[in-house]
Amino acid sequence: MFDFAVFGSLFLTLFVIMDPPGITPIFLALTSGRRTKVQRAMAWQAVTVAFGVITVFGLLGQQILDYLHVSVPALMIAGGLLLLLIALDLLTGKNDEPQQTKDVNVALVPLGMPLLAGPGAIVSVILAVQHAHGAGAQISVWAAIVAMHVVLWLTMRYSLLIIRVIKDGGVVLVTRLAGMMLSAIAVQQIINGVTSVVRGA
């Protein structure tokens, strides 16, 4: 039978980690200057990439990490460094240079991975799948994963309405704010990874 406790627990965990409200300004900053149709496509692509990554790690996560001899803390630190580079671009205004960004599909990196499908979400899904015993629990886990990605898509899809209200000046402000938020997320992710390494030493 469908286990609502398992569904609710994983959905809330992923909601906190993936943070749909918090992803809104970052999505707007990374996709600003593009046509609405392109932005909508990028919202769909980002969610699709995130879902694909989460699905692969949900099915084969532990085996992949073991095969590559990669620890979870190393994954966290690498993801944090990548996010920090993107955050610095947003803070310094490099994202405003069309020749550097218009041909880059930010829906893949950093939106899809590692911003949405980051180390925290990957580890949570791996553990949830491992601890889900029985068909009902497994269905509940995957239903929570699908539901979370639907929420993410809706959030990014309809956040485009904000651009029409705040105009170009507002987009610049949101870009700087997103850069600051993203840098804080990146630093915290690196700290968590380093802390895990120290504790395991």
Side-chain angles (χ1 to χ4, degrees), residues 13-195:
T13 299
L14 291 178
F15 190 92
V16 171
I17 294 173
M18 295 176 129
D19 190 17
I23 203 69
T24 299
I26 298 172
F27 174 75
L28 293 176
L30 291 174
T31 61
S32 64
R34 294 173 171 84
R35 290 178 296 140
T36 301
K37 185 178 180 180
V38 174
Q39 290 173 318
R40 290 175 180 171
M42 293 178 78
W44 175 253
Q45 290 170 355
V47 171
T48 302
V49 168
F51 181 74
V53 171
I54 291 293
T55 299
V56 170
F57 276 94
L59 297 173
L60 305 168
Q62 196 59 57
Q63 292 90 327
I64 292 173
L65 294 180
D66 291 342
Y67 178 77
L68 296 175
H69 304 290
V70 174
S71 65
V72 172
L75 189 64
M76 295 174 69
I77 295 172
L81 290 173
L82 179 58
L83 290 180
L84 188 58
L85 290 175
I86 302 297
L88 290 175
D89 277 349
L90 293 176
L91 284 170
T92 56
K94 290 183 179 179
N95 192 57
D96 296 333
E97 300 177 19
Q99 65 271 20
Q100 291 187 6
T101 61
K102 297 306 181 188
D103 296 328
V104 177
N105 192 350
V106 296
L108 306 181
V109 177
L111 276 175
M113 172 80 180
L115 203 50
L116 295 181
I122 289 173
V123 172
S124 296
V125 168
I126 291 176
L127 294 176
V129 171
Q130 288 178 348
H131 294 143
H133 303 294
Q138 286 289 337
I139 291 173
S140 303
V141 165
W142 289 103
I145 293 171
V146 171
M148 185 66 250
H149 284 80
V150 170
V151 170
L152 286 168
W153 176 75
L154 290 173
T155 302
M156 289 188 289
R157 168 69 172 76
Y158 290 101
S159 67
L160 298 176
L161 298 174
I162 299 175
I163 292 182
R164 299 177 185 176
V165 177
I166 62 178
K167 306 299 182 183
D168 291 342
V171 169
V172 173
L173 179 62
V174 168
T175 299
R176 300 299 180 266
L177 176 63
M180 184 173 65
M181 291 172 55
L182 193 56
S183 63
I185 293 172
V187 170
Q188 185 61 57
Q189 195 161 294
I190 294 171
I191 291 173
N192 291 344
V194 173
T195 301

